[in-house]
Amino acid sequence: MPAFVPWTLAAGVTSAALYSALLTGPLGLTTPLGFGALVVPYFAQIPLFAIGLWLGVAGAAIASALAVVVLLALGGIVFALVFLVVNAAPVVFMTHQALLNRADAHGGVEWYPAGALLTWIIAIASVGFAVLTVYFIDEPGGLKAVIADGIRLSVRFEGAPDAVTAASEGIANIFPGIVALSWIVMVVLNAAIAQALVTHFDVNQRPAPDIASLQLPQGLPIFAAICGIGAFMPGLAGFLGVNLAIIFAGAFAFAGLAVVHTVARRWPNRRLWLIAVYVFVLVFGWPVLALALLGLADPWLNLRRRLGGGSSNT
């Protein structure tokens, strides 16, 4: 048996084991795992990314297929299918993209850039939202009404029926964008942890992308502006606009982090300061908006060059 086979199988089983924490009870809240049953599955992509960034796309695909089979046996076809669509398939695709490379003009290796990888993740989230919207287009009120009905059934609101309806519809109006943004963060975080692991053990195929060099497509601010305008329109246009704007805001938040990383290169104890920034963002949440504005302004004001003492493209 080739030496890599046990590692590939272990990655698939580990990923399935992490994700299967969702099966421990209703929302994982009635078991000894408690809220951990919601947190643990969030990291189910780490083993798949790690084996892919070590052994290549084939390793990620084999581990993903094994994880799907295990989850099919544990939770049924719907459970396994959700894992395939939300976790496994994106890992295999993003691993393929991450390992793309070509020779540069100096005889070195130019790897697929971080900005392009993030753009693919944003695109996948946007397409997924669009597909769901089209799928429920024939339902009365569309996807928004379906989500609102689900919220009313699963969450106990107190108050008059009109107030309950307004509250559930208000949440449903932005719910897909929030879920998509959470998924984007999940993929980026899992990939970053996996890259750190394979780099630590010196089995990585590509070096870790430098977040300070992250560049988004030049046309993305235009699409974001269109979505922002659409968010103020009634009906389906407003629903699409506000949720796509939330998704694009995630991309600009990462670009804002690129600005912070660039500026931090000039700081003493920069790692300590960067950890403080990340903790501040995770604890309070609202700084994500400030990061998004920072990332949106960078192409126009060239903040990385002005504040970092160098080119924004480095």
Side-chain angles (χ1 to χ4, degrees), residues 165-185:
T165 299
S168 60
E169 289 182 352
I171 297 172
N173 193 50
I174 61 172
F175 187 79
I178 298 299
V179 172
L181 186 57
S182 175
W183 179 85
I184 291 166
V185 173

PDB file of all heavy atoms in Angstrom, residues 165-185:
ATOM      1  N   THR A 165     -44.443  38.804  12.241  1.00  0.00           N
ATOM      2  CA  THR A 165     -44.250  38.698  10.790  1.00  0.00           C
ATOM      3  C   THR A 165     -43.179  39.666  10.305  1.00  0.00           C
ATOM      4  O   THR A 165     -42.308  39.296   9.512  1.00  0.00           O
ATOM      5  CB  THR A 165     -45.576  38.974  10.059  1.00  0.00           C
ATOM      6  OG1 THR A 165     -46.544  38.003  10.452  1.00  0.00           O
ATOM      7  CG2 THR A 165     -45.374  38.906   8.549  1.00  0.00           C
ATOM      8  N   ALA A 166     -43.223  40.898  10.809  1.00  0.00           N
ATOM      9  CA  ALA A 166     -42.238  41.900  10.398  1.00  0.00           C
ATOM     10  C   ALA A 166     -40.832  41.495  10.833  1.00  0.00           C
ATOM     11  O   ALA A 166     -39.865  41.658  10.078  1.00  0.00           O
ATOM     12  CB  ALA A 166     -42.601  43.263  10.982  1.00  0.00           C
ATOM     13  N   ALA A 167     -40.717  40.956  12.053  1.00  0.00           N
ATOM     14  CA  ALA A 167     -39.406  40.547  12.554  1.00  0.00           C
ATOM     15  C   ALA A 167     -38.838  39.400  11.731  1.00  0.00           C
ATOM     16  O   ALA A 167     -37.656  39.406  11.340  1.00  0.00           O
ATOM     17  CB  ALA A 167     -39.512  40.145  14.025  1.00  0.00           C
ATOM     18  N   SER A 168     -39.659  38.388  11.444  1.00  0.00           N
ATOM     19  CA  SER A 168     -39.178  37.234  10.676  1.00  0.00           C
ATOM     20  C   SER A 168     -38.821  37.628   9.250  1.00  0.00           C
ATOM     21  O   SER A 168     -37.821  37.149   8.698  1.00  0.00           O
ATOM     22  CB  SER A 168     -40.236  36.126  10.671  1.00  0.00           C
ATOM     23  OG  SER A 168     -41.440  36.587  10.087  1.00  0.00           O
ATOM     24  N   GLU A 169     -39.602  38.518   8.653  1.00  0.00           N
ATOM     25  CA  GLU A 169     -39.292  38.961   7.295  1.00  0.00           C
ATOM     26  C   GLU A 169     -38.041  39.829   7.266  1.00  0.00           C
ATOM     27  O   GLU A 169     -37.267  39.782   6.303  1.00  0.00           O
ATOM     28  CB  GLU A 169     -40.483  39.724   6.715  1.00  0.00           C
ATOM     29  CG  GLU A 169     -41.670  38.827   6.393  1.00  0.00           C
ATOM     30  CD  GLU A 169     -42.816  39.590   5.768  1.00  0.00           C
ATOM     31  OE1 GLU A 169     -42.735  40.846   5.723  1.00  0.00           O
ATOM     32  OE2 GLU A 169     -43.792  38.946   5.331  1.00  0.00           O
ATOM     33  N   GLY A 170     -37.840  40.644   8.316  1.00  0.00           N
ATOM     34  CA  GLY A 170     -36.631  41.461   8.382  1.00  0.00           C
ATOM     35  C   GLY A 170     -35.381  40.606   8.468  1.00  0.00           C
ATOM     36  O   GLY A 170     -34.377  40.885   7.801  1.00  0.00           O
ATOM     37  N   ILE A 171     -35.426  39.543   9.281  1.00  0.00           N
ATOM     38  CA  ILE A 171     -34.290  38.633   9.381  1.00  0.00           C
ATOM     39  C   ILE A 171     -34.090  37.880   8.070  1.00  0.00           C
ATOM     40  O   ILE A 171     -32.964  37.729   7.581  1.00  0.00           O
ATOM     41  CB  ILE A 171     -34.492  37.648  10.547  1.00  0.00           C
ATOM     42  CG1 ILE A 171     -34.543  38.403  11.870  1.00  0.00           C
ATOM     43  CG2 ILE A 171     -33.390  36.603  10.570  1.00  0.00           C
ATOM     44  CD1 ILE A 171     -34.928  37.536  13.057  1.00  0.00           C
ATOM     45  N   ALA A 172     -35.205  37.411   7.492  1.00  0.00           N
ATOM     46  CA  ALA A 172     -35.122  36.631   6.251  1.00  0.00           C
ATOM     47  C   ALA A 172     -34.545  37.448   5.107  1.00  0.00           C
ATOM     48  O   ALA A 172     -33.912  36.888   4.201  1.00  0.00           O
ATOM     49  CB  ALA A 172     -36.513  36.116   5.874  1.00  0.00           C
ATOM     50  N   ASN A 173     -34.737  38.764   5.145  1.00  0.00           N
ATOM     51  CA  ASN A 173     -34.280  39.616   4.051  1.00  0.00           C
ATOM     52  C   ASN A 173     -32.766  39.621   3.913  1.00  0.00           C
ATOM     53  O   ASN A 173     -32.241  39.799   2.808  1.00  0.00           O
ATOM     54  CB  ASN A 173     -34.786  41.047   4.259  1.00  0.00           C
ATOM     55  CG  ASN A 173     -34.633  41.898   3.026  1.00  0.00           C
ATOM     56  OD1 ASN A 173     -35.031  41.502   1.934  1.00  0.00           O
ATOM     57  ND2 ASN A 173     -34.047  43.071   3.183  1.00  0.00           N
ATOM     58  N   ILE A 174     -32.048  39.422   5.033  1.00  0.00           N
ATOM     59  CA  ILE A 174     -30.581  39.436   4.981  1.00  0.00           C
ATOM     60  C   ILE A 174     -29.968  38.082   5.342  1.00  0.00           C
ATOM     61  O   ILE A 174     -28.747  37.927   5.314  1.00  0.00           O
ATOM     62  CB  ILE A 174     -30.008  40.510   5.937  1.00  0.00           C
ATOM     63  CG1 ILE A 174     -30.413  40.228   7.380  1.00  0.00           C
ATOM     64  CG2 ILE A 174     -30.448  41.899   5.501  1.00  0.00           C
ATOM     65  CD1 ILE A 174     -29.742  41.123   8.405  1.00  0.00           C
ATOM     66  N   PHE A 175     -30.818  37.113   5.673  1.00  0.00           N
ATOM     67  CA  PHE A 175     -30.328  35.815   6.138  1.00  0.00           C
ATOM     68  C   PHE A 175     -29.429  35.106   5.121  1.00  0.00           C
ATOM     69  O   PHE A 175     -28.357  34.603   5.490  1.00  0.00           O
ATOM     70  CB  PHE A 175     -31.518  34.925   6.513  1.00  0.00           C
ATOM     71  CG  PHE A 175     -31.130  33.631   7.160  1.00  0.00           C
ATOM     72  CD1 PHE A 175     -30.778  33.594   8.497  1.00  0.00           C
ATOM     73  CD2 PHE A 175     -31.119  32.450   6.434  1.00  0.00           C
ATOM     74  CE1 PHE A 175     -30.417  32.396   9.103  1.00  0.00           C
ATOM     75  CE2 PHE A 175     -30.762  31.254   7.021  1.00  0.00           C
ATOM     76  CZ  PHE A 175     -30.404  31.221   8.366  1.00  0.00           C
ATOM     77  N   PRO A 176     -29.790  35.043   3.830  1.00  0.00           N
ATOM     78  CA  PRO A 176     -28.902  34.343   2.877  1.00  0.00           C
ATOM     79  C   PRO A 176     -27.522  34.980   2.789  1.00  0.00           C
ATOM     80  O   PRO A 176     -26.511  34.267   2.695  1.00  0.00           O
ATOM     81  CB  PRO A 176     -29.655  34.468   1.541  1.00  0.00           C
ATOM     82  CG  PRO A 176     -31.078  34.665   1.925  1.00  0.00           C
ATOM     83  CD  PRO A 176     -31.034  35.473   3.178  1.00  0.00           C
ATOM     84  N   GLY A 177     -27.465  36.308   2.815  1.00  0.00           N
ATOM     85  CA  GLY A 177     -26.169  36.974   2.743  1.00  0.00           C
ATOM     86  C   GLY A 177     -25.308  36.686   3.959  1.00  0.00           C
ATOM     87  O   GLY A 177     -24.096  36.474   3.836  1.00  0.00           O
ATOM     88  N   ILE A 178     -25.928  36.667   5.147  1.00  0.00           N
ATOM     89  CA  ILE A 178     -25.183  36.371   6.370  1.00  0.00           C
ATOM     90  C   ILE A 178     -24.654  34.944   6.344  1.00  0.00           C
ATOM     91  O   ILE A 178     -23.501  34.683   6.701  1.00  0.00           O
ATOM     92  CB  ILE A 178     -26.085  36.587   7.609  1.00  0.00           C
ATOM     93  CG1 ILE A 178     -26.539  38.053   7.691  1.00  0.00           C
ATOM     94  CG2 ILE A 178     -25.351  36.175   8.874  1.00  0.00           C
ATOM     95  CD1 ILE A 178     -25.404  39.039   7.837  1.00  0.00           C
ATOM     96  N   VAL A 179     -25.503  34.001   5.909  1.00  0.00           N
ATOM     97  CA  VAL A 179     -25.070  32.601   5.817  1.00  0.00           C
ATOM     98  C   VAL A 179     -23.946  32.456   4.792  1.00  0.00           C
ATOM     99  O   VAL A 179     -22.949  31.755   5.038  1.00  0.00           O
ATOM    100  CB  VAL A 179     -26.260  31.692   5.451  1.00  0.00           C
ATOM    101  CG1 VAL A 179     -25.791  30.271   5.149  1.00  0.00           C
ATOM    102  CG2 VAL A 179     -27.280  31.664   6.580  1.00  0.00           C
ATOM    103  N   ALA A 180     -24.086  33.108   3.646  1.00  0.00           N
ATOM    104  CA  ALA A 180     -23.044  33.041   2.620  1.00  0.00           C
ATOM    105  C   ALA A 180     -21.741  33.634   3.125  1.00  0.00           C
ATOM    106  O   ALA A 180     -20.656  33.097   2.880  1.00  0.00           O
ATOM    107  CB  ALA A 180     -23.504  33.769   1.360  1.00  0.00           C
ATOM    108  N   LEU A 181     -21.830  34.756   3.852  1.00  0.00           N
ATOM    109  CA  LEU A 181     -20.630  35.383   4.402  1.00  0.00           C
ATOM    110  C   LEU A 181     -19.958  34.469   5.429  1.00  0.00           C
ATOM    111  O   LEU A 181     -18.725  34.357   5.467  1.00  0.00           O
ATOM    112  CB  LEU A 181     -20.995  36.723   5.042  1.00  0.00           C
ATOM    113  CG  LEU A 181     -19.840  37.586   5.555  1.00  0.00           C
ATOM    114  CD1 LEU A 181     -18.848  37.890   4.436  1.00  0.00           C
ATOM    115  CD2 LEU A 181     -20.369  38.874   6.156  1.00  0.00           C
ATOM    116  N   SER A 182     -20.771  33.796   6.238  1.00  0.00           N
ATOM    117  CA  SER A 182     -20.225  32.843   7.198  1.00  0.00           C
ATOM    118  C   SER A 182     -19.529  31.699   6.484  1.00  0.00           C
ATOM    119  O   SER A 182     -18.460  31.239   6.913  1.00  0.00           O
ATOM    120  CB  SER A 182     -21.351  32.304   8.092  1.00  0.00           C
ATOM    121  OG  SER A 182     -20.875  31.293   8.954  1.00  0.00           O
ATOM    122  N   TRP A 183     -20.108  31.245   5.382  1.00  0.00           N
ATOM    123  CA  TRP A 183     -19.492  30.163   4.600  1.00  0.00           C
ATOM    124  C   TRP A 183     -18.165  30.622   4.000  1.00  0.00           C
ATOM    125  O   TRP A 183     -17.182  29.859   3.993  1.00  0.00           O
ATOM    126  CB  TRP A 183     -20.444  29.712   3.499  1.00  0.00           C
ATOM    127  CG  TRP A 183     -19.896  28.622   2.638  1.00  0.00           C
ATOM    128  CD1 TRP A 183     -19.935  27.280   2.884  1.00  0.00           C
ATOM    129  CD2 TRP A 183     -19.214  28.773   1.382  1.00  0.00           C
ATOM    130  NE1 TRP A 183     -19.316  26.585   1.862  1.00  0.00           N
ATOM    131  CE2 TRP A 183     -18.869  27.478   0.932  1.00  0.00           C
ATOM    132  CE3 TRP A 183     -18.875  29.878   0.595  1.00  0.00           C
ATOM    133  CZ2 TRP A 183     -18.192  27.260  -0.270  1.00  0.00           C
ATOM    134  CZ3 TRP A 183     -18.191  29.666  -0.593  1.00  0.00           C
ATOM    135  CH2 TRP A 183     -17.867  28.372  -1.018  1.00  0.00           C
ATOM    136  N   ILE A 184     -18.109  31.852   3.507  1.00  0.00           N
ATOM    137  CA  ILE A 184     -16.874  32.388   2.938  1.00  0.00           C
ATOM    138  C   ILE A 184     -15.769  32.402   3.988  1.00  0.00           C
ATOM    139  O   ILE A 184     -14.634  31.960   3.740  1.00  0.00           O
ATOM    140  CB  ILE A 184     -17.113  33.801   2.374  1.00  0.00           C
ATOM    141  CG1 ILE A 184     -18.010  33.736   1.144  1.00  0.00           C
ATOM    142  CG2 ILE A 184     -15.786  34.484   2.021  1.00  0.00           C
ATOM    143  CD1 ILE A 184     -18.564  35.089   0.726  1.00  0.00           C
ATOM    144  N   VAL A 185     -16.109  32.904   5.170  1.00  0.00           N
ATOM    145  CA  VAL A 185     -15.130  32.937   6.264  1.00  0.00           C
ATOM    146  C   VAL A 185     -14.696  31.523   6.625  1.00  0.00           C
ATOM    147  O   VAL A 185     -13.516  31.268   6.889  1.00  0.00           O
ATOM    148  CB  VAL A 185     -15.719  33.657   7.489  1.00  0.00           C
ATOM    149  CG1 VAL A 185     -14.787  33.555   8.688  1.00  0.00           C
ATOM    150  CG2 VAL A 185     -15.993  35.123   7.161  1.00  0.00           C
TER     151      VAL A 185
END
